[in-house]
Amino acid sequence: MVLGIIAVVAALVPNAGPAMAMLLGLAALVLGIVGLVKNHGWRAIASMTLGVVALVLSVVMTVAVYGPLKDAAASAANSILASANAGQPAPSADAETQRALKNQLRVWFGNFTPGTESDWSSVPVTVTNISQQRESYSISISAVNANGTEVEADSIYIPNLEAGQSTAKTAFKYIDTDKMDAMKSATYTITRVSVIS
């Protein structure tokens, strides 16, 4: 029963808590079953109940906390990698990306708004899921000048967009001041779409 109580508390603690709660919850459940066999009554039932609660809580906390953190980290990593390739000829979309743009999603770009001392730059991006099921998308975008050179690159992540629905995102928030003028006249092209079902 004590292990079950500790496991429930550990499930609510960020970082290593849910992992520890899974182990302690499983131990509380097993010991509760042993206690039930040995006729320890309500303490055995309480141990099993707390063990199950700890296991459920640890799974919920893992999904609720670490899922969004993982998505944010992936989006930040994609943005950093995309920016590192800026200044080179813009890459062209591969066959998988062209298929996705034809059959699974539509993307519209708004106008570039330069950043100020108190606000980020922005390009509004609207993504519509035209497929028949809920999808998540990772989209890489290039801002390209008139001679086809990439001025800047960015990526956006859209989780769990229902079929037929649209969502608005903002791209190109972090633009160096020396690229602002080039961004004002740039056009936007999608270089990669990863569809995550």
Side-chain angles (χ1 to χ4, degrees):
M1 189 170 73
V2 172
L3 282 177
I5 293 169
I6 295 170
V8 169
V9 172
L12 301 173
V13 176
N15 297 331
M20 186 169 66
M22 282 185 188
L23 294 174
L24 293 175
L26 189 58
L29 182 61
V30 169
L31 291 175
I33 292 169
V34 170
L36 199 59
V37 170
K38 291 188 174 187
N39 247 353
H40 287 287
W42 69 270
R43 285 186 297 239
I45 293 170
S47 176
M48 290 186 327
T49 304
L50 288 169
V52 169
V53 169
L55 289 170
V56 170
L57 272 176
S58 61
V59 169
V60 168
M61 286 297 289
T62 300
V63 170
V65 173
Y66 297 111
L69 287 177
K70 180 180 146 197
D71 294 342
S75 180
N78 287 340
S79 293
I80 291 167
L81 289 173
S83 294
N85 294 326
Q88 300 180 12
S92 58
D94 60 16
E96 179 185 342
T97 296
Q98 292 174 9
R99 246 189 327 275
L101 292 171
K102 181 179 178 185
N103 302 320
Q104 294 179 292
L105 74 156
R106 295 284 184 265
V107 182
W108 292 271
F109 297 103
N111 294 322
F112 175 71
T113 302
T116 64
E117 289 183 13
S118 61
D119 204 5
W120 299 111
S121 302
S122 65
V123 172
V125 182
T126 303
V127 179
T128 302
N129 179 354
I130 61 169
S131 74
Q132 299 301 312
Q133 62 187 21
R134 181 174 62 185
E135 304 279 10
S136 296
Y137 305 103
S138 177
I139 303 171
S140 297
I141 307 163
S142 286
V144 181
N145 65 17
N147 61 11
T149 303
E150 187 174 72
V151 175
E152 190 60 84
D154 199 0
S155 65
I156 56 174
Y157 178 71
I158 296 100
N160 302 318
L161 187 60
E162 294 291 342
Q165 288 190 338
S166 297
T167 189
K169 292 285 182 176
T170 302
F172 299 102
K173 293 180 185 178
Y174 315 108
I175 303 298
D176 292 336
T177 53
D178 59 335
K179 294 182 180 178
M180 289 290 182
D181 287 336
M183 286 294 293
K184 290 176 188 175
S185 60
T187 56
Y188 307 103
T189 181
I190 297 170
T191 57
R192 178 89 177 126
V193 173
S194 296
V195 180
I196 305 132
S197 297

